[in-house]
Amino acid sequence: MEQYNQDKNPIETNNRDNRDERDEPMTVYRYDSSNKLMNVRSAYEEELASADRAADGPNRGNRGKRPGGMPLKTMLASFLVGALVVGGLSFMSDRMNLFTGGASSAIESGGNSYSAALGLTTASLSSGENNASVFDQANPAVVEIENYGNPSDQYGANLFGGRGGWMGRQQLQQQQQSSEPELVGTGTGFFIDKSGYILTNQHVIADATELKVTVPGYDGKLTAKVVNADEQLDLAVLKVESPDGKDFPALTLGDSDQTKVGDEVIAIGNPYGLDHTMTIGILSAKERPITIQEDDGTEHPYEHLLQTDAAINPGNSGGPLLNAQGEVIGMNTAVNAEAQGIGFAISSATIQNALKELMSGTTNLSF
């Protein structure tokens, strides 16, 4: 910083309490606005004196007067007064933030300095509030699906806990001793139509002898029937009847083709039996092809998948992957068991094309 003697007074201090006596004195600079004002005043007074001396000439009758008639000294004095007044007002307004409207305070507090300076109040919706709103809107349409069947000794790990979603190995082995249909696993689904049509993964309902669906707001579990399924695409449509005759809440299918890598996404499901769990992430990639090894050793190729880092686990199968507007852009389907933050979802574009065939012959649908 460049030093001006007329503006800053160096003050040498020796702090004997905190510094060694052998240290050099510390120089502190203090801004002295009174010195600045005195220097300006002295300069103007000297200018006035010079004007008086220049006015002393042969024409003493017109000394100190301009051709227009106004004395030169009066003109300079007026200019001096005006400069001092304007300078003082500018200094005070800056110190009191009269023109900024407290913008400096807004900056210090992390607020919007532009809005503060203009005196505007902005009502913005934070990301957390928006996510909570999406969850409140979508959650009533997300259901838990229980697959009852004849347990086997196979336990897959690549597709959200294998057949039917999540089921612990010990519990699965205990149920093998019974010949009655037992809970093989759980998964997730969501209503796509208010009349009771549910979309889920085919592997969630595979080999089931009975399907039970838990719907938010309803006491007890509803029995579901399979309308149609596509093993290759890993999609299935179920149907439940409303006990009270009321419409079910349904989600809207969005356009996954319009999504961009980096968009925020929300997953809702029942991971490890923890019903109605919401996780948040971003869309990591699009058009991902992967191959999953099934329980019997066969390979199942998937194409056009969405990749996300939203936390999804066994039991999330069949659950919706939502955009910031609460629209379904994908169905959570697979997770890489050897990695973290790598999950996959069937795109809504693929779902839309498949629904035409899966729901053929069905009328009066709302999607």
Side-chain angles (χ1 to χ4, degrees), residues 123-136 264 266 280 324:
S124 60
L125 186 65
S126 69
S127 178
E129 292 174 345
N130 185 63
N131 293 334
S133 177
V134 170
F135 178 80
D136 291 340
E264 190 172 68
I266 298 173
I280 301 173

Side-chain angles (χ1 to χ4, degrees), residues 51-366:
D52 286 343
R53 290 192 297 270
D56 291 337
N59 189 1
R60 292 187 178 273
N62 295 325
R63 191 185 74 166
K65 291 188 178 181
R66 297 170 57 250
M70 177 181 290
L72 182 60
K73 185 174 183 179
T74 302
M75 181 187 69
L76 293 176
S78 300
F79 177 78
L80 173 61
V81 173
L84 292 176
V85 171
V86 172
L89 290 176
S90 299
F91 175 77
M92 292 300 297
S93 64
D94 180 67
R95 293 296 299 271
M96 298 176 64
N97 292 327
L98 296 179
F99 296 122
T100 60
S104 59
S105 299
I107 294 174
E108 293 174 359
S109 62
N112 189 328
S113 61
Y114 297 102
S115 297
L118 295 174
L120 302 178
T121 302
T122 58
S124 60
L125 186 65
S126 69
S127 178
E129 292 174 345
N130 185 63
N131 293 334
S133 177
V134 170
F135 178 80
D136 291 340
Q137 175 185 348
N139 185 58
V142 180
V143 302
E144 182 178 8
I145 301 173
E146 296 179 347
N147 183 326
Y148 290 84
N150 297 316
S152 65
D153 58 357
Q154 294 179 339
Y155 183 75
N158 288 328
L159 278 177
F160 289 152
R163 177 180 301 160
W166 173 76
M167 175 59 66
R169 181 187 296 273
Q170 183 177 2
Q171 185 179 359
L172 187 62
Q173 292 175 347
Q174 292 174 352
Q175 292 180 354
Q176 292 176 6
Q177 302 174 359
S178 174
S179 59
E180 296 294 328
E182 300 288 347
L183 179 62
V184 176
T186 63
T188 307
F190 56 92
F191 286 105
I192 55 173
D193 183 78
K194 61 184 180 181
S195 60
Y197 289 96
I198 298 172
L199 188 63
T200 187
N201 281 133
Q202 187 274 338
H203 76 263
V204 169
I205 55 97
D207 300 329
T209 58
E210 187 177 22
L211 294 170
K212 294 291 185 179
V213 176
T214 301
V215 181
Y218 286 86
D219 296 331
K221 299 174 182 178
L222 306 181
T223 300
K225 66 177 183 179
V226 179
V227 176
N228 210 337
D230 188 321
E231 183 177 1
Q232 186 64 31
L233 293 178
D234 199 13
L235 295 175
V237 177
L238 312 180
K239 180 69 164 62
V240 296
E241 300 297 333
S242 175
D244 54 11
K246 295 181 179 179
D247 292 339
F248 292 103
L251 298 181
T252 302
L253 293 178
D255 188 355
S256 58
D257 291 337
Q258 299 301 317
T259 59
K260 298 180 180 179
V261 173
D263 286 350
E264 190 172 68
V265 293
I266 298 173
I268 302 178
N270 307 294
Y272 291 106
L274 302 174
D275 60 319
H276 299 279
T277 297
M278 181 184 78
T279 55
I280 301 173
I282 63 169
L283 185 62
S284 304
K286 300 173 64 176
E287 297 293 330
R288 288 294 198 205
I290 64 172
T291 300
I292 298 296
Q293 185 173 3
E294 303 285 9
D295 296 338
D296 58 3
T298 61
E299 294 185 343
H300 188 146
Y302 289 82
E303 296 181 351
H304 313 297
L305 295 180
L306 304 177
Q307 180 182 330
T308 178
D309 67 347
I312 48 181
N313 295 279
N316 277 105
S317 288
L321 186 68
L322 308 166
N323 60 18
Q325 289 72 46
E327 299 171 333
V328 178
I329 60 169
M331 176 195 293
N332 302 318
T333 298
V335 63
N336 190 328
E338 299 179 354
Q340 294 183 354
I342 301 180
F344 300 95
I346 302 173
S347 68
S348 62
T350 301
I351 294 173
Q352 284 279 19
N353 293 332
L355 279 177
K356 296 177 182 178
E357 182 175 348
L358 290 173
M359 303 299 294
S360 60
T362 306
T363 59
N364 299 324
L365 298 177
S366 59

